Amino acid sequence: MTKEQRPRIPGCTYRLQFNRWFTFLQAREIMPYLHALGVTDVYASPYSQASAESLHGYDITDHNKLNAAIGSRADYDSWIEELHAHSMGQVLDFVPNHVGIAESLNAWWMDVLENGPSSRYAPYFDIDWHPLKFDLRDKVLLPILSDQYGRVLERGELQLRFEEGTFYLLYGERRLPIAPGTYRYVLQIALENLAEHKEEDFYAELQSILTALEYLPKRTETDPKRIAERIREKEVIKRRLERRCAEAPQVQRAIEKALAQINGKPGDPRSFDALDELLNAQSYRLAFWRVAAEEINYRRFFDVNDLAAIRVELPKVFDAVHRLALDLVSAGAVTGLRIDHPDGLYLPREYFEKLQQRCAKALGIGLPQDGRAIYMLAEKILTASEALRKDWLMHGTTGYDFANQVTQLLVDSSAETAITKTFHRFIGHSMPFGHLLYAKKLQVMKLALANDVDVLSNMLDRLSEQNRWYRDFTLESLSRAVRETIACFPVYRTYLTPGQPVSEEDRQIVERAITAAKRRNPAMEESIFNFLRDVLLFRFPPNLDDAGRTAHTHFVLKFQQTTGPVMAKGLEDTVFYIYNRLAALNEVGGEPQQFGLTAEAFHERNIDRQRNWPATLLATSTHDTKRSEDVRARMVAISEIPELWRRSLQRWRVANHRWKGTINDVEAPDANEEYLLYQTLLGTWPIEANGEPQPAATPEYIERIQRYMAKALHEAKINTSWIQPNEEWDAAMRDFVANILDSSPRNKFLPIFLPVAQEIARLGAINSLTQTLLKLTSPGVPDVYQGNEIWDYSLVDPDNRRRVDYNRRREMLETLSTATPHELIQTWPDGRIKMFLTQRVLRFHREHADLFQHGEYLPLRASGTFAECCVSFTRQLADKWILVIVPRLSSRVGFPPIGEAWKDTAIQLPEALPVAQAHDLFTCRPVPLQDRQVNLADPLSIVPFAVITDL
């Protein structure tokens, strides 16, 4: 009889990015440091086999092997041993949706390219073997060429090679298999080259091999017996060929001569005809990478050609990709799982249920009553008022929702009109967010995900043909209805499940999208949208047979897998680089059209979290955020100084105008790009130990900003893009950054920029301390992104994947034992004040885990002059309690916001708190109370934050 046990809930996670620069052995070395910091669980990036150059690990080529660039199994076990020595757990980032296919390390993909539909792994991938384009039937489009196919071919860049009985195609460093049945293209020429050896045994053997190739089951076979025969016989043929070449060098030379002939000669186009014919006979069609959007016939992770989606909903695929992960769960090496991109799954809820069941089996326990055998998180991006589905068997999200809520809390909403006017005047026009998002989602469907939408349109067309009421709908009108509905979708996706009633939440989402699409397209026949609405809500036509219902259902599930990537590419990777009113709000899961969140609304979110998802992750920086928490904390402070911001922009624009270029009568960079650049500089400008801004930019800093702005411009897709780079515009942006940051005396910008940078740095530091303490004490599991226990001013990847200096952090941590809070706030630029706050709370958190996991959350209201400038709440469990106080909108209070600066601002304590031994966690000083009232000047007399407790 199996025992039932509850999953381990982390007290605090610490995200580590594993790659060739940070290995298992290096992770082992920092475990004592993380334990001393107060961390209870490591939150590990994927470390299965991937490209050796990968800095993120999401391009997995084999889920069941460790990445050799990160370390061996012995290295891994050594790290886990150290992890356990400190009683720490591990939450593993698991990628069930896709695999990397850029390298030959992916045995599944290589087998598909070699054998086409007859590959045993063909069903593992979401490949359309019968697309509308006839030339792609039974083939996979491979958009990997740097130029048009014919040009690449005739330049001699595609070379056929032979090694150990196997032919393959070499393109640069990329190695592609050749279908065994097409070996005859080479071997027939080789046989002709051996005409003078007709009496030799090796000649007859080569003839025999050619005969065997003729009888080899075709690559289009799907019958299991014929596939098994093909798998067996093709390997026999390769071994025979290898052996014959080893025993008879004449055969090897004949093949090499044939290859030289087939590979062609640059300058002689006709010499490539044979190679062209051979390549056209493969299970793949080589193509220029820019054609991918329109013709690609395998589902990808978003629009990344080198990441192919896998069908984890199939039992054999599920089993294949989870073997190592479940072994690690069974061994206790992994105590939690973070599921990457659940919106890409065919049936997310069923996936979570199955994974929890498998984890229970791996742990040798009975499945708990709530169905949760292991701590599990989903990288689910929630929009606006959208809630995480309660029937998902997990513990919460990866924390984007909290990160955005705490950022919005720090916005001065009273400045919305002023900031919006400044933005519009600077760029010269208004920018309605809703219209912009709609337009960019349409653009994504046209440029990046065109084929994904075309597939849906053709599926819907076939469905309409089955009913006499709808058969007159044209393919074009149905295609437009699909595109318009997706463009108007208010969330990433719905979650309809076959055989289950449609939830009210999903019904409202579809109805909202259809209504908005109708409104934007008044000239279109309404019945087309009504037809699509009914299909999307499982409203099957009367008398629809089982095959028809299956087709309807499949369309809906494919539609659900498509809306997410369109939203992600349109919003996160396009709009967030254009709608720059207050760029700090342009974050994954963010709502930049909203300008601020009241303290009351923030408390409501925390209460809901405590009630429904008390173990969800609370993040402020992640590997995916557009900028680090400290950059965001600075940039959001712009809302506190709207008039200074307006005046400064005018002065900066005048000072820097001479550095702009002119391209086709347009200034480069444009005003919106310049507006984003100034926010980015304020968010990242280095501050010296004395609190003064660094007087000049270093070459390294200038290069970082240039790289960031290049990425921002390409993502925005206004004046340049990844698909169609505008090199002249890119150079203009690069030069503009270099010139305005030049340290020579002639630079008029820096002297008028640095005072604003200093003010923003101060406000940003206070904001960062606030969001850190809120993260560490709010309901949920706080997460620290690697290195962010001190100030970190990283931008979007790859900037946030730089190496972390743990020696420096270890030394800083050691100094905290002798430093006073007063000293730390005076030397705030060195970052120790943030580390001090983090360590003190995390260690307290670890000692009183039950208080933070189960303690009731009670918002408190302040009174007095700066009542609006603080946030306060209690957490209480029986006689254990804490009272948290943090500042917001601190420009109104002054810098630093401590002591008498708070004037008469006070907080009334609830009657239920036993306050006799009340003291501050950071200063260890008793907190004076009068009639159960705390005057903020007392607990905030030394540092601008407080955790009052009697523990």
Side-chain angles (χ1 to χ4, degrees):
M1 184 175 178
T2 57
K3 61 180 193 258
E4 178 176 313
Q5 67 182 50
R6 306 301 298 173
R8 172 195 172 95
I9 305 298
C12 167
T13 58
Y14 188 96
R15 174 75 177 199
L16 292 177
Q17 292 294 126
F18 285 98
N19 51 57
R20 66 185 186 277
W21 293 340
F22 187 79
T23 64
F24 295 134
L25 291 182
Q26 288 169 298
R28 185 184 192 279
E29 291 174 4
I30 68 167
M31 288 305 104
Y33 162 75
L34 293 184
H35 183 262
L37 190 64
V39 172
T40 66
D41 292 69
V42 164
Y43 171 20
S45 68
Y47 45 63
S48 291
Q49 178 180 281
S51 164
E53 301 298 311
S54 177
L55 295 182
H56 49 77
Y58 289 97
D59 50 345
I60 293 172
T61 55
D62 190 329
H63 282 78
N64 298 312
K65 293 180 182 177
L66 296 175
N67 190 338
I70 298 172
S72 65
R73 184 56 192 255
D75 296 339
Y76 179 83
D77 291 341
S78 177
W79 166 50
I80 297 300
E81 182 182 356
E82 186 71 13
L83 192 76
H84 289 168
H86 290 89
S87 302
M88 296 171 71
Q90 181 200 172
V91 177
L92 173 62
D93 193 339
F94 189 78
V95 187
N97 268 295
H98 60 264
V99 290
I101 58 172
E103 298 186 1
S104 56
L105 286 171
N106 191 319
W108 296 355
W109 188 250
M110 289 300 106
D111 197 85
V112 169
L113 296 185
E114 182 183 44
N115 300 295
S118 69
S119 167
R120 76 186 92 177
Y121 301 113
Y124 285 35
F125 296 93
D126 209 346
I127 300 170
D128 181 5
W129 294 107
H130 301 286
L132 288 179
K133 185 166 182 171
F134 182 79
D135 290 339
L136 277 175
R137 296 291 171 95
D138 297 316
K139 291 176 180 282
V140 175
L141 184 78
L142 274 192
I144 64 172
L145 303 182
S146 63
D147 202 346
Q148 300 289 342
Y149 167 74
R151 296 172 186 167
V152 173
L153 177 75
E154 293 180 13
R155 287 200 297 258
E157 295 176 20
L158 301 170
Q159 291 288 298
L160 203 58
R161 294 282 189 267
F162 178 71
E163 192 176 297
E164 298 177 348
T166 302
F167 289 97
Y168 64 90
L169 184 71
L170 196 64
Y171 174 58
E173 296 182 356
R174 205 152 185 163
R175 180 169 169 161
L176 301 174
I178 294 296
T182 64
Y183 284 15
R184 56 188 174 81
Y185 284 83
V186 184
L187 297 182
Q188 191 64 53
I189 296 174
L191 192 68
E192 294 169 5
N193 293 337
L194 292 170
E196 59 188 79
H197 300 286
K198 285 184 179 180
E199 304 305 319
E200 301 286 349
D201 288 344
F202 60 74
Y203 187 90
E205 175 69 5
L206 193 55
Q207 285 182 314
S208 175
I209 289 173
L210 278 164
T211 301
L213 287 171
E214 289 293 329
Y215 285 95
L216 186 70
K218 304 301 180 187
R219 62 179 178 80
T220 54
E221 285 284 358
T222 54
D223 178 73
K225 291 183 179 179
R226 293 288 284 167
I227 289 176
E229 179 185 346
R230 176 184 171 88
I231 292 171
R232 182 183 66 250
E233 294 303 317
K234 71 182 180 68
E235 296 305 317
V236 170
I237 291 170
K238 291 177 185 178
R239 287 195 296 272
R240 288 177 64 188
L241 192 54
E242 180 183 17
R243 187 169 58 249
R244 184 48 55 199
C245 287
E247 294 173 355
Q250 299 94 325
V251 176
Q252 178 74 32
R253 288 194 293 271
I255 289 175
E256 290 172 354
K257 184 177 179 182
L259 289 176
Q261 182 179 339
I262 290 173
N263 281 328
K265 296 179 181 179
D268 181 5
R270 295 272 68 85
S271 68
F272 292 95
D273 289 352
L275 180 57
D276 181 40
E277 184 181 1
L278 182 146
L279 293 179
N280 285 331
Q282 300 308 308
S283 298
Y284 50 84
R285 177 186 172 98
L286 295 171
F288 187 22
W289 67 271
R290 288 183 181 170
V291 310
E294 296 179 13
E295 295 190 345
I296 202 158
N297 62 330
Y298 61 89
R299 190 165 61 87
R300 301 162 292 173
F301 173 74
F302 296 172
D303 61 343
V304 184
N305 297 336
D306 288 339
L307 297 177
I310 53 176
R311 301 178 63 197
V312 77
E313 67 272 13
L314 301 180
K316 58 185 176 182
V317 181
F318 184 98
D319 292 342
V321 300
H322 290 88
R323 192 167 64 249
L324 175 61
L326 290 173
D327 285 347
L328 297 177
V329 168
S330 178
V334 168
T335 54
L337 292 169
R338 179 260 201 196
I339 306 304
D340 182 65
H341 187 47
D343 280 350
L345 296 168
Y346 198 62
L347 295 167
R349 182 172 63 83
E350 283 73 5
Y351 171 82
F352 298 131
E353 288 179 1
K354 187 171 185 177
L355 186 53
Q356 288 285 8
Q357 291 166 2
R358 292 298 179 86
C359 286
K361 184 177 180 181
L363 291 167
I365 63 172
L367 191 67
Q369 288 187 351
D370 67 357
R372 294 167 172 86
I374 194 171
Y375 182 67
M376 194 179 296
L377 301 166
E379 190 214 12
K380 169 60 189 166
I381 301 169
L382 301 169
T383 62
S385 58
E386 184 185 10
L388 187 62
R389 301 299 170 111
K390 292 184 179 179
D391 58 356
W392 285 13
L393 296 183
M394 57 178 41
H395 294 83
T397 71
T398 51
Y400 298 136
D401 42 349
F402 178 82
N404 285 294
Q405 289 161 16
V406 77
T407 300
Q408 289 278 5
L409 176 68
L410 299 173
V411 173
D412 189 341
S413 58
S414 69
E416 179 173 12
T417 300
I419 294 289
T420 303
K421 280 184 178 179
T422 296
F423 175 48
H424 289 166
R425 285 173 181 168
F426 193 89
I427 66 174
H429 58 85
S430 63
M431 190 178 286
F433 180 84
H435 181 72
L436 179 65
L437 177 57
Y438 165 78
K440 294 310 172 183
K441 288 174 74 174
L442 285 176
Q443 182 187 53
V444 163
M445 286 185 277
K446 179 180 179 181
L447 299 179
L449 298 169
N451 190 65
D452 299 69
V453 178
D454 288 345
V455 167
L456 289 176
S457 303
N458 285 300
M459 291 173 71
L460 188 62
D461 184 50
R462 289 194 292 271
L463 295 181
S464 72
E465 289 292 339
Q466 296 172 6
N467 193 300
R468 59 177 176 264
W469 284 19
Y470 311 122
R471 72 177 196 181
D472 286 346
F473 295 155
T474 65
L475 174 59
E476 173 54 34
S477 65
L478 290 169
S479 178
R480 185 172 179 184
V482 168
R483 291 195 304 271
E484 292 292 325
T485 300
I486 293 176
C488 293
F489 231 65
V491 295
Y492 279 72
R493 67 166 281 177
T494 50
Y495 299 96
L496 278 77
T497 303
Q500 299 292 325
V502 178
S503 70
E504 179 62 19
E505 188 174 2
D506 284 333
R507 186 195 64 77
Q508 289 183 10
I509 290 169
V510 171
E511 294 279 9
R512 279 179 61 192
I514 293 292
T515 300
K518 287 179 179 178
R519 187 175 66 250
R520 288 186 177 274
N521 296 273
M524 279 186 68
E525 172 62 48
E526 273 200 21
S527 60
I528 300 174
F529 286 111
N530 293 340
F531 168 62
L532 177 57
R533 176 200 61 203
D534 291 344
V535 171
L536 291 177
L537 293 176
F538 283 165
R539 295 171 183 168
F540 301 115
N543 304 319
L544 190 66
D545 59 19
D546 289 344
R549 283 175 173 263
T550 299
H552 270 69
T553 301
H554 184 55
F555 169 81
V556 173
L557 299 183
K558 294 292 289 182
F559 182 92
Q560 291 183 148
Q561 285 181 300
T562 304
T563 55
V566 174
M567 175 71 93
K569 296 303 296 180
L571 179 63
E572 298 170 35
D573 293 345
T574 306
V575 171
F576 280 177
Y577 290 95
I578 301 173
Y579 190 79
N580 294 318
R581 178 178 66 167
L582 188 60
L585 304 180
N586 296 2
E587 200 47 83
V588 180
E591 303 281 337
Q593 74 277 25
Q594 177 185 334
F595 203 86
L597 186 72
T598 64
E600 290 74 19
F602 177 76
H603 289 312
E604 287 173 9
R605 306 293 196 282
N606 269 348
I607 291 170
D608 179 74
R609 203 174 281 115
Q610 176 66 39
R611 183 184 302 121
N612 296 308
W613 303 100
T616 191
L617 211 64
L618 307 178
T620 41
S621 281
T622 78
H623 62 286
D624 268 340
T625 43
K626 302 299 183 187
R627 47 192 62 84
S628 76
E629 60 195 51
D630 296 323
V631 174
R632 204 161 54 243
R634 280 188 183 182
M635 289 170 61
V636 78
I638 291 171
S639 69
E640 298 186 54
I641 52 166
E643 183 57 25
L644 176 60
W645 174 239
R646 182 189 64 80
R647 292 197 313 269
S648 299
L649 282 171
Q650 293 172 341
R651 297 178 69 196
W652 299 343
R653 167 180 261 176
V654 171
N656 294 329
H657 185 264
R658 59 178 174 156
W659 300 120
K660 288 203 172 190
T662 302
I663 301 173
N664 297 327
D665 299 324
V666 177
E667 287 188 347
D670 69 22
N672 195 24
E673 294 161 353
E674 186 179 3
Y675 192 87
L676 173 62
L677 173 60
Y678 294 143
Q679 292 183 72
T680 303
L681 293 176
L682 288 176
T684 57
W685 194 266
I687 299 296
E688 297 187 326
N690 61 1
E692 296 289 326
Q694 189 172 287
T698 64
E700 179 194 22
Y701 178 80
I702 293 172
E703 186 179 347
R704 281 182 58 214
I705 299 300
Q706 288 173 325
R707 284 200 303 264
Y708 170 75
M709 291 306 300
K711 178 166 184 171
L713 267 59
H714 283 81
E715 296 286 15
K717 296 176 273 290
I718 298 293
N719 297 306
T720 184
S721 69
W722 300 116
I723 295 176
Q724 204 72 16
N726 183 335
E727 294 180 5
E728 196 176 357
W729 197 281
D730 294 340
M733 182 78 250
R734 193 164 54 246
D735 293 343
F736 186 75
V737 171
N739 284 321
I740 71 170
L741 297 183
D742 181 58
S743 59
S744 67
R746 63 180 181 156
N747 189 339
K748 299 178 181 179
F749 170 62
L750 289 181
I752 56 176
F753 168 78
L754 295 180
V756 185
Q758 181 176 29
E759 176 66 10
I760 286 293
R762 288 176 172 182
L763 297 175
I766 301 303
N767 280 343
S768 184
L769 295 172
T770 289
Q771 69 183 0
T772 299
L773 185 51
L774 289 175
K775 176 178 69 175
L776 298 181
T777 55
S778 291
V781 176
D783 173 59
V784 179
Y785 183 70
Q786 60 176 25
N788 278 237
E789 58 270 31
I790 62 174
W791 307 135
D792 180 273
Y793 298 106
S794 296
L795 294 163
V796 74
D797 67 276
D799 197 56
N800 64 359
R801 310 275 168 85
R802 290 173 296 159
R803 305 184 205 193
V804 177
D805 186 348
Y806 283 109
N807 288 330
R808 177 185 171 215
R809 284 162 176 77
R810 191 181 292 111
E811 291 169 0
M812 291 174 70
L813 189 65
E814 290 171 355
T815 69
L816 293 185
S817 60
T818 56
T820 65
H822 176 76
E823 173 193 341
L824 294 174
I825 197 63
Q826 292 299 313
T827 59
W828 67 267
D830 66 14
R832 287 186 302 157
I833 184 65
K834 185 180 181 185
M835 178 179 276
F836 166 71
L837 185 161
T838 300
Q839 185 201 35
R840 189 63 63 91
V841 177
L842 285 186
R843 295 180 74 148
F844 182 84
H845 199 298
R846 189 165 60 194
E847 293 166 9
H848 304 284
D850 55 344
L851 171 61
F852 289 91
Q853 284 187 21
H854 307 294
E856 180 187 3
Y857 182 94
L858 180 66
L860 300 180
R861 299 190 67 174
S863 60
T865 305
F866 297 117
E868 193 182 355
C869 297
C870 72
V871 178
S872 181
F873 58 85
T874 62
R875 303 292 306 277
Q876 184 174 11
L877 181 66
D879 60 347
K880 294 182 177 182
W881 62 272
I882 60 169
L883 164 61
V884 178
I885 305 173
V886 291
R888 65 188 285 257
L889 313 182
S890 66
S891 63
R892 303 180 189 179
V893 183
F895 182 86
I898 58 176
E900 296 305 319
W902 285 97
K903 297 185 178 179
D904 61 343
T905 312
I907 293 172
Q908 190 72 31
L909 300 189
E911 293 292 335
L913 293 188
V915 298
Q917 304 297 320
H919 63 275
D920 179 52
L921 181 65
F922 301 105
T923 63
C924 300
R925 294 170 56 175
V927 177
L929 300 172
Q930 186 173 4
D931 298 327
R932 303 188 69 81
Q933 181 172 284
V934 177
N935 294 314
L936 264 62
D938 293 322
L940 304 186
S941 62
I942 298 176
V943 292
F945 48 82
V947 172
I948 302 171
T949 183
D950 66 345
L951 297 173

